[in-house]
Amino acid sequence: IMDKAQSSAVRELQLIDKNLETMVKSIEDYLRMISSEYRLQQTLLTIDKNKRNGLEELPLETIRISSLMSSIVSNIIAPSTQLVGSSVLIENEVVYSGYTLGRFDPVQVLGADYFEKISSLGRPCWSGLFTLPYDSGTTKDVFAVGKAIIDKDTGIETGTVVVFVDETNISKIYLENKTNEADRFFIVNSEDVIVSSNEKSELYMPAEGILGITNDEYNLLINEGSRIIMSNGTQYLYSAHHYKEFDWDVVSIISLDEIMEENRNITKALLIVTSLCLLMAFVLSYFISNRLVNPIIRLTHTTKDIIKGDMSIRARTDVGGEVGILTEGFNNLMDRIESLIDEVNQENKKQREMEFRLLQSQISPHFLYNALETINSFITLGMLDKANETVNNLSQFYRICLSKGDDVISIKNELKITCSYLNIQKFRYMEFMDFEMDIDESINNYSIPKLTLQPIVENAIYHGLKNKSKKGLLSIKGYFLNEEIIIEIADDGVGISSDKISQIMSSGETGGPSYGLSNIQNRLRLKYGNKGRIEIESEVGVMTKVSVHILPVKL
């Protein structure tokens, strides 16, 4: 709508320009008709000859000019509303003032320069706006249009004829193009003074004050042709068109509120219709949602809750129709899935228990064989005290390992198993290993899966310290950290590469060190969830540290 209004305003000003040009040509044609009238030329030529011959001007000639002018302009001014008077001058002296014009001096009002310009141009010459007095005492704001009277036969300039154009007749051109009552039109001359307006009190006023814009804004308006300017909280469309003939600017000011009024009415009607349509849509949607959409939304929410892990939730069954059939099928499916999950969990639990017992069966005979061999060596060498100490450690190891078949024991007992195992291994490999333990006693009474630490310690000895060229140290630490129990088994052996660590933790083999660690990882997760885990840190040739993370769960 804005673009359309701007285009319309520009077209209106172009139309005003053409109408103004037509009016100017029409007035100038009238002026040429007067100045070329043969009888007037002959009378003025006679007066010119008498003056050249030193004869006084005859009153009869003056009377004749008045009579001639009355006859000539009666056919021009009377039917035309554009011309409001005329004058004839000889050597800048008035010899005729017609149509009740007062006895004013055009030269004094318009200036001698204006009449010199008329003489030099040889064509109609327009003046600026001025006030024309009448015999009745009234005045009019007019433009003067003058032309030299040139004798056709001799080419001698015998006088000047001036006609006067009422500014009201010019303003009618753009008033006829007003679309809205509040539209305003102005004609501004080259000196930025208003010479035509639909408000006559604004004539002769500076354009800046009347238009309500600064000189900079006015110059931008002339360059761009149209601009939207905010004034007193209201937007106005300013448009301008340059009339080259007189160096005038035709300016229009249109309130956008009026332009948008029709749009607002249409918008109101659309809002009413839209509101009714929305109301009907809401009513229909209410019935549809109660029967179809809401049950599906509830079923969707139930599905989201199940995705979060709560498998016990079921959809509401108080629904009829196709959605009710869908809900019933969904609940039956979830019952079956929950049953299958329980079966899978039971199978997994049994499998883990079997794997654990298999690990125990693998560790115990192998360890027992090595321990008995060590005891035999001590007896043979006569080191009975060492043999006796080894027997005590072996006895404690198996007593706690058996633990009435329990798979979960206290951390204290788990550490006793580990300590007994290390004491026996220290006797066997005293030339390349030693160990130390630093345990926070506050963790002793919490539970841990049995034989969690022993496989890690065994890996540290056989794969870390035993391959080292000199004696190494294995240390065990246990402590609380961030509501977790952490037990660290560290050695200063040969270390493990990062690729090997990834292989160990993801190994699915059924034997070897990888199997032992991955089995422990699975057991911890089975008991503690994601909180139960093993973390391995290592630097090749420097150290390896295995951290066991468990939750503090009492026996």
Side-chain angles (χ1 to χ4, degrees):
I1 291 175
M2 295 288 193
D3 293 340
K4 189 175 181 180
Q6 287 180 300
S7 300
S8 177
V10 170
R11 286 196 299 270
E12 284 182 3
L13 294 184
Q14 291 173 345
L15 180 61
I16 291 171
D17 182 281
K18 291 181 180 179
N19 291 341
L20 187 60
E21 184 178 0
T22 301
M23 186 199 74
V24 168
K25 288 182 178 180
S26 175
I27 292 171
E28 291 181 352
D29 287 341
Y30 292 152
L31 188 60
R32 290 187 181 95
M33 290 173 59
I34 296 172
S35 63
S36 61
E37 216 285 333
Y38 178 74
R39 290 172 297 169
L40 178 62
Q41 287 191 355
Q42 289 298 315
T43 302
L44 293 178
L45 184 60
T46 300
I47 294 174
D48 182 68
K49 287 180 180 180
N50 289 336
K51 285 189 175 184
R52 290 182 182 182
N53 294 327
L55 299 176
E56 295 293 334
E57 180 182 338
L58 298 176
L60 179 60
E61 299 300 330
T62 303
I63 295 171
R64 183 178 294 177
I65 289 175
S66 298
S67 175
L68 283 172
M69 286 298 297
S70 297
S71 173
I72 293 168
V73 301
S74 64
N75 295 323
I76 296 175
I77 294 180
S80 173
T81 58
Q82 295 171 343
L83 303 181
V84 294
S86 62
S87 293
V88 178
L89 295 88
I90 299 176
E91 296 181 353
N92 292 345
E93 291 184 5
V94 178
V95 295
Y96 168 78
S97 288
Y99 274 76
T100 67
L101 295 180
R103 298 296 294 179
F104 78 104
D105 187 354
V107 178
Q108 184 177 1
V109 175
L110 299 174
D113 292 341
Y114 172 70
F115 288 93
E116 289 178 5
K117 186 177 179 181
I118 291 174
S119 179
S120 62
L121 286 176
R123 59 181 177 80
C125 179
W126 286 70
S127 73
L129 186 68
F130 69 96
T131 302
L132 180 68
Y134 285 82
D135 287 340
S136 61
T138 59
T139 59
K140 283 188 177 181
D141 297 305
V142 299
F143 298 92
V145 189
K147 185 182 181 306
I149 301 174
I150 308 296
D151 185 71
K152 293 180 180 180
D153 297 327
T154 62
I156 298 173
E157 181 180 331
T158 57
T160 304
V161 61
V162 180
V163 296
F164 305 101
V165 182
D166 191 350
E167 182 274 334
T168 304
N169 294 327
I170 292 179
S171 63
K172 286 180 181 178
I173 295 174
Y174 50 76
L175 290 176
E176 291 172 356
N177 290 276
K178 284 184 64 173
T179 305
N180 303 301
E181 187 64 27
D183 292 355
R184 300 173 66 192
F185 290 85
F186 305 89
I187 295 179
V188 182
N189 65 14
S190 58
E191 298 174 354
D192 291 339
V193 174
I194 294 176
V195 295
S196 182
S197 171
N198 48 345
E199 292 291 337
K200 304 310 175 187
S201 61
E202 297 171 341
L203 298 176
Y204 308 103
M205 302 293 289
E208 179 180 356
I210 299 302
L211 298 181
I213 58 177
T214 63
N215 280 330
D216 291 339
E217 289 176 323
Y218 182 75
N219 292 331
L220 286 173
L221 172 63
I222 298 303
N223 291 332
E224 297 175 6
S226 65
R227 294 193 75 204
I228 295 175
I229 299 175
M230 181 71 72
S231 179
N232 297 326
T234 303
Q235 283 187 320
Y236 292 92
L237 173 60
Y238 283 69
S239 302
H241 185 79
H242 188 67
Y243 182 63
K244 296 180 181 180
E245 183 70 20
F246 298 150
D247 197 18
W248 286 352
D249 295 320
V250 183
V251 181
S252 68
I253 303 176
I254 302 172
S255 173
L256 292 181
D257 286 344
E258 294 192 11
I259 294 175
M260 300 298 290
E261 183 62 31
E262 182 179 355
N263 180 62
R264 283 195 290 268
N265 293 334
I266 295 174
T267 303
K268 288 179 182 178
L270 285 175
L271 286 174
I272 293 173
V273 173
T274 303
S275 299
L276 292 174
C277 291
L278 286 174
L279 180 61
M280 293 177 63
F282 284 138
V283 172
L284 290 174
S285 66
Y286 175 77
F287 290 107
I288 293 173
S289 64
N290 276 344
R291 184 170 181 83
L292 181 63
V293 178
N294 284 344
I296 293 178
I297 291 175
R298 288 196 296 268
L299 184 59
T300 303
H301 290 162
T302 302
T303 305
K304 289 181 178 179
D305 291 336
I306 291 173
I307 290 173
K308 292 178 181 178
D310 190 352
M311 303 295 291
S312 63
I313 297 178
R314 296 294 181 268
R316 289 171 54 180
T317 57
D318 56 343
V319 183
E322 291 82 356
V323 180
I325 297 173
L326 178 63
T327 302
E328 184 177 355
F330 177 82
N331 288 339
N332 291 336
L333 177 63
M334 288 308 305
D335 290 340
R336 179 59 180 160
I337 290 174
E338 189 174 21
S339 175
L340 289 173
I341 290 175
D342 289 339
E343 292 177 7
V344 170
N345 287 336
Q346 291 297 326
E347 291 295 327
N348 286 337
K349 187 175 181 181
K350 290 179 181 179
Q351 183 180 355
R352 297 301 179 192
E353 290 175 353
M354 291 176 65
E355 289 176 352
F356 175 62
R357 296 186 185 280
L358 176 61
L359 178 63
Q360 287 181 309
S361 66
Q362 288 175 340
I363 293 174
S364 299
H366 175 72
F367 173 66
L368 177 60
Y369 172 79
N370 290 333
L372 292 174
E373 185 180 0
T374 301
I375 294 169
N376 183 53
S377 298
F378 284 148
I379 294 172
T380 302
L381 295 172
M383 301 171 65
L384 299 180
D385 56 339
K386 297 291 185 182
N388 184 53
E389 187 176 349
T390 304
V391 170
N392 290 334
N393 284 318
L394 184 62
S395 174
Q396 179 173 267
F397 178 86
Y398 276 102
R399 185 179 67 253
I400 300 174
C401 279
L402 293 174
S403 60
K404 300 179 182 180
D406 295 332
D407 290 337
V408 178
I409 61 176
S410 68
I411 293 176
K412 181 178 180 180
N413 285 335
E414 177 70 9
L415 290 171
K416 285 182 179 180
I417 292 175
T418 306
C419 185
S420 297
Y421 176 81
L422 285 171
N423 283 327
I424 295 172
Q425 295 292 54
K426 183 178 178 180
F427 288 145
R428 295 187 67 218
Y429 304 114
M430 63 179 64
E431 72 280 3
F432 63 80
M433 73 155 285
D434 198 356
F435 74 94
E436 63 181 15
M437 301 183 73
D438 180 13
I439 306 298
D440 183 353
E441 293 185 359
S442 61
I443 70 172
N444 283 335
N445 294 324
Y446 292 98
S447 63
I448 188 171
K450 185 168 58 179
L451 288 178
T452 296
L453 303 181
Q454 185 274 334
I456 301 173
V457 169
E458 183 177 1
N459 285 338
I461 294 172
Y462 285 100
H463 301 286
L465 297 177
K466 193 174 180 180
N467 295 325
K468 188 176 180 181
S469 59
K470 57 183 180 179
K471 190 173 184 178
L473 177 66
L474 187 147
S475 64
I476 302 175
K477 294 182 179 181
Y479 55 90
F480 270 107
L481 180 65
N482 297 331
E483 298 182 355
E484 284 186 332
I485 295 175
I486 300 176
I487 301 175
E488 297 177 353
I489 298 94
D491 67 82
D492 56 358
V494 296
I496 314 172
S497 67
S498 58
D499 292 340
K500 185 63 176 176
I501 291 174
S502 300
Q503 181 183 353
I504 288 173
M505 296 308 297
S506 61
S507 175
E509 299 176 7
T510 58
S514 299
Y515 172 75
L517 291 178
S518 61
N519 181 276
I520 293 169
Q521 178 90 301
N522 292 335
R523 289 166 58 207
L524 292 176
R525 286 182 177 172
L526 187 63
K527 180 171 178 59
Y528 304 107
N530 291 331
K531 296 293 186 179
R533 64 194 186 279
I534 291 177
E535 294 179 355
I536 302 177
E537 300 177 34
S538 184
E539 184 177 350
V540 176
V542 179
M543 57 77 69
T544 301
K545 181 171 72 175
V546 179
S547 301
V548 178
H549 295 252
I550 62 174
L551 293 177
V553 179
K554 292 281 188 178
L555 278 174

